[in-house]
Amino acid sequence: MSSIEYRQLRADTPPPGMIIERDVPITMRDGLVLRADVFRPDDDGVHPVLMTHGPYAKGLAWKEGYAYMWETLNRDNPDALEGSSNRYQNWETPEPEKWVPDGYICVRVDSRGAGRSPGYLDMHSRTEIADFAECIEWAGTEPWSNGRVGLLGISYYATTQWLVAATKPKHLAAICPWEGGYDYYRDVCRHGGIVHSFVATWAPNQVFRVQHGNGERSPRDHNTGELIAGPETLTDVELVANRSDITSELRDHELDDDFYRERTPDLTQIDVPILSCANWAHHIHTRGNIEAYLGAGSSQKWLEVHGLEHWTLFYKDYGHNLQKRFFGHFLHGHDTGWEGQPPVTLNVRHVDGSFEKRAEQEWPLARTRWTTMHLDAGELSLTEADPGQAGSRTFEARGDGLTFTTAPVDVETEITGPLAARLNVSSTTTDADLFLTLRVLDPDGTDVTFVSGMDPRGVPTIGWLRISHRKLDPERSLPYRPFHTHDELQPLTPGEVVSVDVEIWPTSVVIPPGYRLALTVQGKDYELPGDGPWITFNSTEMRGNGVFVHRDPVDRPGDGPVSHVTLVTGPEHPSYLLVPIIPR
C-alpha cells in the first residue's frame, strides 16, 4: 500500500512542512493489523525513521494522561516545551514537531492489544517483540523511508529496544534507550527477589486503562476526535480475558525462570550502535541501562548518566541535542561531531542539586579507589578501620533498623559507581528481607535528597535482598556487583549466622566537608522522616523511594515477615560496605 492511500481519519491541520497519517495499518505475520501514526516531512524525499512501539496509546495526549508529569515539566522546565505547539506531545516518545523539520519520520505504533491495535495484550512477551521487529522491517521498506530505522523513547519504549535489538531486524540502524531496564527479574519485577509494588499499580493505571476495547470508556484523541482505545467497546469480562495478568504472573514465579527469561534479552546479540542514557536514581532503569551497556555486543556503544525526573532531560535541549547528534550520525550520515563523543558521559551530582558534566573512558571508572567501610555494631559506625572486637545488634524487621554513620568527612569526597555490601546476619525465622539505603547527612544530621527519577526527594541509592535468595553466580559476580542466581531458595536456620552479599545500585554524589555518609539496614522500605507533605502518585506516597516500594500483599503480607534480624560485625564476621571513591 503506497503512502498516498493511507486513510486520513479527520481534518487535522498539521504544522507547515509536515504530513500526518493516522491509523496506518501494519499487518503482522498472523494477519492481525496494528495501527500506527506517521509524522513525516511534506516532500518527495526519503528519510530515516524514529519508531516507538508500546501500550500507552498513541492518541493519548501527555497533558491529559499524565497530568502530574506534564505540570512538573511545564512548571520547572518550560524550555523543554519551547519550539513546539505541543499538540502531538505523547508520553515518553519523541516530539514530531522537533524532529520532522530536521528530516526524520516519527512513527508511533500501538502494540498488540493496546490503543487502536486489537489483539491479546501481553507486555514484553515474545509476541510483542516479534511484532515490534516486523514494524521495524515495514518502516524500513516504505517508499518514504531511507531504509534506516532508529529507536528512541523512555522507559517502556526503552526497555523493549533492548529486546527487539537482540532479534536483529535488518533495517534497525541505531537505538537510544532512555532509561529502560533490561533484566526483567532483577530490574523490572523483583528487587533482590522481593516483589516491588510498582507493577501492580502501573499496569492498571497506565496500560489497562488504554487497552484496546475500552472504546467509549476511553478519552478521544484531541487532534482527531477518535477514541484512543477503540473503536470497539468490549465488556469488562472481555477485556480481562484479552490480556495477561502480569501481577499474578510475577507473584507465581518467585525464581528467575522462563517467564522472566522470555522478557530478558541476550545482550550479546545486539550489534547496532547504542546510546544508553541512564538516571542515577530510578529503581527500574538505573541498573538496566548500565548493565545493558556493559553487556551489549555492539562495538559502537556509549553510556550517558544524568539526574532529575526520568522524563525531563529527554525533552530539554541537553537531551534533545545529544539524541540529534547520535541519530544524525548513524541515520542521516551527517558530520555531527559524534566521532569525538567519549565512551562515557557522567553528570556527577552535588548536594545542592547541581551537576558536573564529565567525559570518561569506561565504567566503572578505572581510577576508582574501592574503599572498604567496616560496620561496627557496637558503635554503629562506618569506618575504614576494621573493628577490633565482635559486636552484634538486633532489629525488628518492620522497624527502623540500624543506621551506621561515618565521621564527618574532612575533604570533598566523590562517590561515583556501583556499591556492594557484605553482611553477616541471622534471623528468628527461616527468611528475612534486607533493605540497604545509602544516605548522605548534612552537618545537622538531615538527609540530603535529590530529585530522582520518580520522587522530588529521593535517597542516593538502595540495595535489596531476600536472604533465601543469597546464592551467587561466581562467573558473573564482581566484588562491586554481586550477581544472584535467583534459581533456588536457601532457607535460614533460625539463629544461624550466614554471610550475604547485597548489590547496591550505582550512584553519584559529591560529599562536602562536614557531611557524613550513612548506611541504614532494615527489613522494609526506608522512609524519610518528618510529616511531609508527601506527593502521592498511583496511590503511593513518595517518601524517598518514589513509587518503587515493596508492599505486595502476597509477597510481603503485612508489609513483611514478622522476624528479628541480628547483624554481626567484627574480625570473625566482617560486615562492610564497598564504596567507589573517585580521587578529585
Side-chain angles (χ1 to χ4, degrees):
M1 177 179 288
S2 69
S3 61
I4 61 172
E5 296 176 298
Y6 291 148
R7 181 166 61 103
Q8 291 284 352
L9 295 180
R10 170 175 165 166
D12 175 18
T13 305
M18 182 188 294
I19 292 174
I20 304 176
E21 296 162 331
R22 304 282 187 179
D23 269 8
V24 178
I26 309 176
T27 303
M28 298 293 98
R29 59 208 170 279
D30 59 357
L32 184 133
V33 176
L34 302 184
R35 296 289 175 174
D37 287 350
V38 178
F39 304 80
R40 60 187 181 88
D42 187 5
D43 59 30
D44 295 325
V46 294
H47 306 279
V49 176
L50 291 177
M51 177 176 283
T52 55
H53 172 279
Y56 292 162
K58 60 184 175 61
L60 179 62
W62 179 355
K63 60 185 176 182
E64 295 176 7
Y66 299 88
Y68 166 70
M69 288 80 159
W70 179 264
E71 291 165 3
T72 300
L73 187 69
N74 194 37
R75 180 191 68 229
D76 300 336
N77 297 278
D79 56 301
L81 305 179
E82 294 174 357
S84 169
S85 70
N86 299 305
R87 290 172 56 197
Y88 311 107
Q89 282 279 18
N90 191 239
W91 175 240
E92 298 186 333
T93 65
E95 169 54 78
E97 288 185 76
K98 292 189 176 183
W99 286 92
V100 172
D102 284 350
Y104 292 89
I105 298 168
C106 292
V107 177
R108 293 172 175 168
V109 185
D110 278 341
S111 57
R112 185 179 295 239
R116 302 282 294 178
S117 295
Y120 185 80
L121 178 62
D122 193 4
M123 292 171 285
H124 299 105
S125 66
R126 288 194 181 97
T127 297
E128 183 179 88
I129 300 309
D131 289 347
F132 196 177
E134 287 195 57
C135 291
I136 291 169
E137 299 301 79
W138 169 85
T141 56
E142 283 296 283
W144 31 252
S145 172
N146 73 352
R148 297 176 182 173
V149 179
L151 306 180
L152 174 63
I154 308 172
S155 192
Y156 198 101
Y157 298 108
T159 300
T160 52
Q161 291 183 43
W162 302 115
L163 285 157
V164 75
T167 70
K168 299 180 181 290
K170 178 182 176 182
H171 291 92
L172 182 60
I175 65 173
C176 179
W178 193 281
E179 302 192 31
Y182 103 89
D183 187 320
Y184 203 68
Y185 188 96
R186 294 162 185 82
D187 300 340
V188 180
C189 294
R190 286 178 171 267
H191 289 149
I194 308 166
V195 172
H196 65 80
S197 305
F198 172 74
V199 172
T201 57
W202 160 75
N205 282 294
Q206 293 185 233
V207 180
F208 297 164
R209 66 171 177 157
V210 293
Q211 180 185 352
H212 182 83
N214 272 286
E216 293 294 340
R217 304 182 193 87
S218 67
R220 293 183 178 271
D221 185 321
H222 67 254
N223 288 302
T224 68
E226 295 288 329
L227 295 167
I228 66 166
E232 53 264 10
T233 301
L234 303 178
T235 66
D236 290 339
V237 172
E238 290 172 321
L239 285 172
V240 170
N242 222 24
R243 67 181 184 237
S244 65
D245 184 353
I246 185 172
T247 302
S248 294
E249 286 174 330
L250 68 92
R251 288 171 178 164
D252 292 342
H253 296 263
E254 182 175 359
L255 299 177
D256 187 9
D257 59 14
D258 289 343
F259 169 74
Y260 300 101
R261 292 168 190 158
E262 174 184 339
R263 294 162 173 81
T264 300
D266 180 353
L267 296 171
T268 64
Q269 296 302 305
I270 301 177
D271 55 12
V272 295
I274 299 168
L275 172 58
S276 178
C277 297
N279 190 307
W280 289 122
H282 192 291
H283 296 352
I284 292 179
H285 304 323
T286 304
R287 180 187 186 277
N289 272 97
I290 292 174
E291 289 291 317
Y293 162 78
L294 293 171
S298 304
S299 60
Q300 299 181 88
K301 57 184 181 179
W302 292 264
L303 174 67
E304 182 273 349
V305 193
H306 53 264
L308 301 182
E309 303 91 352
H310 89 96
W311 59 88
T312 297
L313 289 180
F314 182 88
Y315 294 97
K316 286 178 70 69
D317 285 347
Y318 169 83
H320 192 62
N321 292 337
L322 184 68
Q323 299 156 19
K324 283 274 181 79
R325 289 177 53 236
F326 175 72
F327 285 116
H329 180 81
F330 288 107
L331 300 188
H332 271 300
H334 293 162
D335 180 8
T336 65
W338 192 260
E339 290 183 352
Q341 181 72 13
V344 175
T345 301
L346 304 180
N347 290 277
V348 177
R349 297 192 297 190
H350 289 258
V351 297
D352 63 357
S354 64
F355 294 89
E356 173 189 345
K357 184 178 176 182
R358 200 168 67 207
E360 298 288 354
Q361 295 301 308
E362 70 285 309
W363 178 272
L365 305 186
R367 65 185 183 279
T368 301
R369 181 167 67 87
W370 297 103
T371 303
T372 300
M373 307 290 289
H374 294 274
L375 279 64
D376 185 336
E379 301 294 331
L380 288 179
S381 61
L382 197 59
T383 64
E384 292 189 46
D386 190 349
Q389 58 185 10
S392 67
R393 292 264 184 160
T394 299
F395 62 92
E396 201 275 314
R398 298 182 185 179
D400 293 333
L402 307 174
T403 296
F404 299 83
T405 58
T406 66
V409 300
D410 295 327
V411 296
E412 184 177 79
T413 303
E414 178 186 337
I415 296 173
T416 295
L419 299 92
R422 173 165 292 175
L423 303 181
N424 286 277
V425 295
S426 66
S427 174
T428 56
T429 56
T430 58
D431 209 349
D433 294 342
L434 294 175
F435 294 72
L436 275 60
T437 304
L438 189 76
R439 301 163 60 193
V440 175
L441 307 178
D442 71 13
D444 295 326
T446 303
D447 278 278
V448 173
T449 61
F450 301 90
V451 176
S452 70
M454 276 301 299
D455 197 325
R457 295 179 59 194
V459 296
T461 190
I462 302 176
W464 310 262
L465 183 66
R466 177 158 290 165
I467 301 179
S468 61
H469 287 243
R470 64 188 178 277
K471 178 184 174 184
L472 293 174
D473 182 335
E475 294 185 359
R476 300 185 68 177
S477 291
L478 298 165
Y480 53 79
R481 202 271 286 120
F483 191 92
H484 298 91
T485 62
H486 299 292
D487 61 359
E488 68 169 306
L489 299 180
Q490 297 181 336
L492 296 170
T493 299
E496 181 179 319
V497 176
V498 298
S499 179
V500 298
D501 292 279
V502 183
E503 176 185 10
I504 301 176
W505 285 19
T507 190
S508 176
V509 56
V510 177
I511 305 174
Y515 285 60
R516 294 180 294 158
L517 186 67
L519 180 70
T520 294
V521 181
Q522 55 192 145
K524 65 175 185 177
D525 294 297
Y526 176 73
E527 293 184 345
L528 291 169
D531 298 324
W534 311 106
I535 294 173
T536 297
F537 180 74
N538 279 357
S539 305
T540 301
E541 192 176 62
M542 297 192 285
R543 296 188 60 174
N545 291 282
V547 295
F548 308 105
V549 295
H550 303 76
R551 302 168 187 165
D552 186 88
V554 175
D555 187 65
R556 283 173 55 83
D559 197 23
V562 181
S563 62
H564 286 79
V565 176
T566 298
L567 175 59
V568 183
T569 64
E572 294 185 7
H573 295 94
S575 294
Y576 59 82
L577 174 69
L578 186 64
V579 182
I581 295 180
I582 310 302
R584 298 293 286 171

